[in-house]
Amino acid sequence: MGEGERRKKDFISNYFLQLFSTSVSTDEGQLQRLISVVQPRVTPAMNAQLMSEFSEEEIKQALFAIGDLKAPGPDGLPVVFYQTFWDVVGVRLTREVMEVLKGGRIPASWNEATIALIPKTEKPERVTDLRPISLYNVVYKVVSKVLSNRLREVLPAIITPNQSAFVPGCLISDNILIAYELTHYLLNKREGELGYAALKLDMSKVYDRVEWCFLEKMMRMLGFHDSWIGLIMECVSIVKYRVKVNGDLSDIFVPRRGLRQGDPLSPYLFLLCAETFSALLKEGECDGSLAGVKICHSAPSISHLLFADDSLILIRATEGDSRQLQKILQLYEQCSGQMINKAKSVVLFSKDTKPQQKQVVSNILQVTKETISERYLGLLVHVGHSKTGIFAYLKQRIWKRMQGWNEKFLSWAGKEILINAVAQAIPTFAMGCFDLSKSLCDQISAMICRFWWNQQVEKNKIH
């Protein structure tokens, strides 16, 4: 390995070592203040369901529910190996997993993980342009999958309706449509004593920054059984990492915080942590220090919508509401480890908000970017009269995807499958929430047909 590659590997490894190092304040009073707003929600019946005896069939179902060729961990064995040779290794695998689920320690070799770096941009230039994905051994995956399957069953009774990510029965379109109605109301509110502000907060590295002590105390406050908490914390905290850089592995390091990307448990555990943020906002709404938006007299007041790391907060555009929200954000960041990127966060004000009110809110919250064309969960929150212009980006995405196929060594049949499976699927997400104009649909169809015809002409030239 050259000197340049070695320095690059050390730099990236040190970055993740610092990222996974704890940074919370030791002020126990602040942490207690944060979690005290959460009311116990886990009933004895739920705990009995979570801690009921694990079965061999449950372990087998968890194994076969994992993707066959998911990236293997440090041991190099993919899931398909265990599925194919279940008759040979099934009994031993079940016995080993069952020991852990009954309260035994996870062997150190099980919880060794390799961090693979996936580019988030075409030409990554910084470490933040890389998404870390944890690759870990199949035996640990089975343990995590069994626990996540059980937690998933009780989640709807624990998570408030303001959070809809990963909760059975909730759809991403629910949040999108509610956000659209709220934005429409704000942009058409032209009179009133007070204006309103909608903030879209950008949270940095949400999984990687979760503090373990905060997670443990949060689960205890919600009412989870000590044995269940012990199982979860065993999975979360007993881990060792290596970072893979250009095919070479870094030295082993031990993290002190963070949830693993790719772990079935991580999304559900993050939802539990975010409940404190939701509870703080609800407390502020109850005592009058914050106020959400009501689009009509009979509608409920909505102060926030959370979907994993996508947060939409609605407040009155006043100094009091802004300072209260800032206090909540500081407390949440200080105790949970989360960090809000103010530079990437944006704010939308109602039409009747006075310029001096806008300035006060922006200064207190340190969010200076104001926009009406921001996307929430992948779709624009404001759709004007010209849907053809608003959704023109769909055409660009389809065309860009098809142009990339020209450079690949695909057969004609392969390109036909890609057109049917990918290009036609791109507009589907938007069409699930909004009616696309007929002219836009015709333009997309014509573009696909033109690409199809050009490919046919090229094929005839070759022959």
Side-chain angles (χ1 to χ4, degrees):
M1 180 190 298
E3 182 64 25
E5 286 296 317
R6 184 177 295 105
R7 291 176 61 186
K8 185 188 301 182
K9 184 183 69 172
D10 292 341
F11 176 81
I12 294 177
S13 179
N14 289 333
Y15 169 83
F16 284 104
L17 178 60
Q18 294 177 12
L19 178 62
F20 293 127
S21 298
T22 184
S23 64
V24 295
S25 168
T26 56
D27 188 345
E28 190 68 23
Q30 289 287 82
L31 182 56
Q32 190 60 37
R33 160 75 180 96
L34 177 61
I35 64 174
S36 64
V37 297
V38 179
Q39 299 299 318
R41 297 172 194 163
V42 183
T43 64
M46 292 180 191
N47 274 321
Q49 180 181 348
L50 292 172
M51 297 308 301
S52 60
E53 186 175 352
F54 294 94
S55 65
E56 296 180 3
E57 184 62 27
E58 194 174 4
I59 295 173
K60 182 178 179 180
Q61 289 177 357
L63 174 70
F64 281 82
I66 303 173
D68 295 354
L69 296 175
K70 288 284 187 179
D75 64 2
L77 294 176
V79 178
V80 69
F81 169 81
Y82 294 89
Q83 294 173 344
T84 304
F85 298 102
W86 176 256
D87 293 339
V88 179
V89 301
V91 174
R92 178 66 182 272
L93 176 67
T94 301
R95 184 169 66 247
E96 296 287 343
V97 171
M98 193 71 75
E99 282 188 22
V100 172
L101 294 175
K102 288 181 178 179
R105 301 283 296 180
I106 295 181
S109 59
W110 287 17
N111 232 347
E112 290 181 359
T114 300
I115 297 178
L117 304 176
I118 309 298
K120 294 191 288 186
T121 61
E122 291 185 4
K123 296 180 179 180
E125 297 178 352
R126 299 172 297 178
V127 184
T128 51
D129 295 332
L130 303 170
R131 178 178 289 108
I133 303 296
S134 299
L135 310 179
Y136 42 95
N137 296 322
V138 173
V139 188
Y140 170 77
K141 289 183 184 180
V142 176
V143 174
S144 179
K145 188 68 174 178
V146 171
L147 295 177
S148 64
N149 286 343
R150 290 206 172 186
L151 183 57
R152 184 175 183 271
E153 295 299 319
V154 302
L155 209 61
I158 301 173
I159 302 301
T160 55
N162 298 82
Q163 292 200 83
S164 57
F166 312 115
V167 179
C170 295
L171 301 174
I172 188 174
S173 56
D174 298 340
N175 275 34
I176 294 173
L177 293 175
I178 294 173
Y180 171 77
E181 292 295 338
L182 292 170
T183 304
H184 179 77
Y185 171 78
L186 294 181
L187 293 177
N188 288 275
K189 184 179 183 295
R190 301 182 183 277
E191 57 183 20
E193 296 181 2
L194 290 175
Y196 285 88
L199 291 103
K200 183 178 179 293
L201 301 178
D202 181 86
M203 296 191 178
S204 303
K205 305 289 185 183
V206 289
Y207 281 17
D208 304 327
R209 295 182 182 277
V210 172
E211 296 288 345
W212 294 341
C213 60
F214 167 69
L215 172 62
E216 183 175 1
K217 289 181 181 295
M218 181 61 186
M219 288 193 292
R220 207 171 299 280
M221 179 60 70
L222 285 170
F224 284 102
H225 193 278
D226 288 345
S227 298
W228 177 263
I229 296 174
L231 269 174
I232 297 297
M233 296 311 298
E234 180 81 5
C235 292
V236 170
S237 59
I238 310 299
V239 59
K240 296 178 181 178
Y241 283 133
R242 286 176 181 263
V243 183
K244 194 168 188 177
V245 181
N246 294 335
D248 193 47
L249 294 174
S250 70
D251 295 332
I252 291 177
F253 65 91
V254 179
R256 290 292 177 263
R257 68 172 179 181
L259 302 175
R260 283 173 283 188
Q261 298 275 1
D263 190 330
L265 273 173
S266 295
Y268 303 141
L269 297 181
F270 179 76
L271 290 186
L272 298 180
C273 294
E275 273 299 293
T276 53
F277 184 39
S278 179
L280 283 172
L281 293 171
K282 284 183 174 294
E283 183 189 51
E285 201 173 2
C286 290
D287 62 24
S289 58
L290 290 176
V293 172
K294 294 179 67 172
I295 62 174
C296 64
H297 291 295
S298 59
S301 175
I302 298 178
S303 61
H304 60 285
L305 294 171
L306 307 180
F307 193 93
D309 58 339
D310 283 294
S311 304
L312 185 66
I313 315 298
L314 299 113
I315 60 172
R316 293 171 296 202
T318 64
E319 181 179 353
D321 276 37
S322 302
R323 292 196 182 280
Q324 181 63 23
L325 178 58
Q326 181 67 2
K327 289 180 182 178
I328 289 174
L329 293 175
Q330 287 177 348
L331 179 63
Y332 183 61
E333 287 179 302
Q334 182 181 10
C335 298
S336 69
Q338 298 299 306
M339 185 177 72
I340 296 172
N341 189 336
K342 301 293 181 64
K344 291 186 178 181
S345 299
V346 297
V347 61
L348 168 68
F349 292 101
S350 60
K351 285 288 186 180
D352 60 344
T353 307
K354 297 178 176 60
Q356 57 268 31
Q357 289 179 310
K358 294 182 180 181
Q359 190 65 38
V360 168
V361 172
S362 297
N363 290 341
I364 294 175
L365 296 174
Q366 301 171 17
V367 178
T368 58
K369 184 180 178 182
E370 184 180 348
T371 181
I372 64 171
S373 59
E374 186 68 17
R375 293 187 187 182
Y376 176 66
L377 301 179
L379 292 180
L380 294 168
V381 294
H382 172 63
V383 178
H385 296 291
S386 176
K387 291 184 179 179
T388 302
I390 290 294
F391 292 106
Y393 72 92
L394 295 174
K395 288 188 352 182
Q396 297 171 0
R397 287 182 59 190
I398 294 172
W399 182 250
K400 183 178 179 181
R401 184 67 62 88
M402 292 191 302
Q403 288 302 303
W405 299 341
N406 283 331
E407 302 171 2
K408 296 180 179 179
F409 297 98
L410 294 176
S411 65
W412 170 247
K415 291 181 180 180
E416 181 179 355
I417 292 174
L418 281 173
I419 290 174
N420 293 329
V422 180
Q424 294 182 8
I426 288 176
T428 303
F429 180 53
M431 293 170 67
C433 298
F434 302 103
D435 289 330
L436 301 187
S437 64
K438 184 177 184 301
S439 61
L440 177 63
C441 293
D442 290 341
Q443 291 173 19
I444 293 175
S445 298
M447 183 176 62
I448 293 176
C449 290
R450 185 166 62 252
F451 175 80
W452 190 292
W453 173 257
N454 291 337
Q455 293 297 308
Q456 186 67 38
V457 171
E458 291 295 326
K459 176 185 176 184
N460 292 335
K461 286 181 179 179
I462 293 174
H463 291 290

